[in-house]
Amino acid sequence: MKNLIYITICLLAFVFTSCEKHDFFDENVITGNVGPQVYWEIGSSAVSAATNMPFTVQYYTTAADIDHSEVWYNVVEMIEKSVSCPWVTTFTYAVISTQSEEKRISQKVQEYPHSLAVWSDSLHAYTFKAEFPVSSTLKSFSWTNPEVTFDYDQMNTYFGEGFAKQFKDSLQTLMKYADYKKMMSEMGLVENFDIEYNHPYYDEASGSDVDAFEEVPAGSGNRPAPEAIKALYESITFDKLIENATGGYNVLYKRTYKSNAILRVYDKKGIYGLAVTKEFDII
């Protein structure tokens, strides 16, 4: 009998000890302040700079009384660049880049006082319609295929002062006979290009004729463009290299903005609830 009593006491001690070390509620229930529940919709997926974005909000709380609402948003700048040369035929030469950068972290842009008068019995929530402002400095900008006199100052501002030379030098390293022919002939720099410069020769390594200006197969050397052609290429200005058949220029610089907006509803304890983030373009 004594042995039975001893075993029972030990089992009870084990149970109580286990409960203290592995409390189910303590490990699985998250406690903390409860903020207002919030839902909203904005008026459009795009809005013009220097105007207002309309929105509708619904909210309620099961804790402290509501105090006010706030709209916050960040600003993301997107830049697209493209420059191409239409005077080559054996390849397509274009320099294209896109970049995106957050120019301003999320900040409060407007505050709205709470009113008991906006309660809706049908929705069982407070609801109102309002607007928030969009800055006039966020207007999009585009310099695309200009057809007036080429502006080197704008080119240097948007692409960098060394871009024009780098573009021209990189283009030439890829050009073959057909590219020089198209460029020089259509620009009116050489009247009879084939007669003056197309002098193919027999290459023993490959056993075939090799066109002028082209790399010779089997590592037996190459025939670079003649100095006269190189001099003509150097005389071509950068704006002429990107000029198209209609008189415009194959250059694009586009700067646009977008934003991620959030609505906060605060109670009188300073606790706030968040609505779903809304993304919109600024045009």
Side-chain angles (χ1 to χ4, degrees):
M1 185 66 181
K2 289 182 180 179
N3 289 338
L4 180 60
I5 294 173
Y6 176 77
I7 293 172
T8 303
I9 293 173
C10 288
L11 289 173
L12 289 172
F14 175 77
V15 171
F16 282 114
T17 303
S18 299
C19 289
E20 290 176 357
K21 293 181 66 176
H22 302 285
D23 189 296
F24 176 82
F25 290 101
D26 183 58
E27 292 185 358
N28 292 279
V29 177
I30 300 173
T31 60
N33 296 309
V34 178
Q37 304 299 303
V38 190
Y39 169 82
W40 77 325
E41 289 291 342
I42 59 175
S44 176
S45 60
V47 64
S48 298
T51 62
N52 295 322
M53 171 66 84
F55 68 90
T56 302
V57 59
Q58 298 175 21
Y59 59 90
Y60 68 91
T61 183
T62 57
D65 292 338
I66 302 294
D67 186 72
H68 70 280
S69 306
E70 296 175 356
V71 170
W72 292 54
Y73 68 70
N74 71 343
V75 174
V76 178
E77 181 183 74
M78 296 162 293
I79 295 179
E80 178 184 357
K81 299 179 182 180
S82 174
V83 183
S84 63
C85 174
W87 301 100
V88 290
T89 187
T90 66
F91 62 99
T92 299
Y93 191 73
V95 177
I96 302 171
S97 70
T98 57
Q99 63 185 55
S100 177
E101 180 183 0
E102 184 179 50
K103 303 297 288 186
R104 193 189 77 187
I105 62 172
S106 188
Q107 297 178 4
K108 183 174 76 172
V109 294
Q110 191 74 38
E111 184 173 317
Y112 310 87
H114 173 63
S115 171
L116 296 176
V118 299
W119 174 260
S120 170
D121 288 331
S122 61
L123 295 174
H124 300 289
Y126 297 100
T127 181
F128 67 87
K129 294 181 179 181
E131 298 177 333
F132 61 85
V134 178
S135 174
S136 61
T137 63
L138 303 179
K139 187 175 180 61
S140 60
F141 171 79
S142 179
W143 185 46
T144 305
N145 299 329
E147 295 185 354
V148 295
T149 302
F150 190 74
D151 192 331
Y152 272 93
D153 288 337
Q154 281 191 295
M155 192 70 203
N156 292 336
T157 298
Y158 303 138
F159 290 81
E161 293 189 4
F163 178 85
K165 184 179 187 309
Q166 183 181 9
F167 181 94
K168 185 175 180 179
D169 292 345
S170 298
L171 173 64
Q172 188 178 23
T173 62
L174 301 173
M175 292 178 63
K176 296 183 178 181
Y177 179 86
D179 303 304
Y180 282 109
K181 177 182 176 180
K182 175 180 173 64
M183 182 179 292
M184 303 301 174
S185 300
E186 294 187 9
M187 287 186 181
L189 298 176
V190 178
E191 185 175 356
N192 297 302
F193 198 89
D194 282 336
I195 295 176
E196 292 192 43
Y197 297 104
N198 189 18
H199 307 297
Y201 65 96
Y202 182 77
D203 175 55
E204 294 182 357
S206 63
S208 61
D209 287 341
V210 177
D211 290 333
F213 305 2
E214 294 191 1
E215 185 175 346
V216 177
S220 59
N222 62 9
R223 297 183 65 191
E227 292 300 320
I229 290 297
K230 292 180 180 179
L232 283 176
Y233 181 84
E234 285 300 319
S235 70
I236 301 172
T237 58
F238 169 74
D239 58 296
K240 190 66 177 177
L241 285 176
I242 64 172
E243 186 178 10
N244 55 47
T246 63
Y249 300 93
N250 290 359
V251 57
L252 176 147
Y253 175 89
K254 189 176 182 180
R255 183 177 65 236
T256 57
Y257 296 94
K258 68 178 180 180
S259 178
N260 299 285
I262 190 73
L263 188 135
R264 300 181 178 186
V265 177
Y266 287 79
D267 64 23
K268 291 188 179 296
K269 291 183 178 180
I271 308 302
Y272 63 84
L274 290 173
V276 175
T277 301
K278 301 293 183 179
E279 182 180 280
F280 61 93
D281 296 321
I282 304 171
I283 56 178

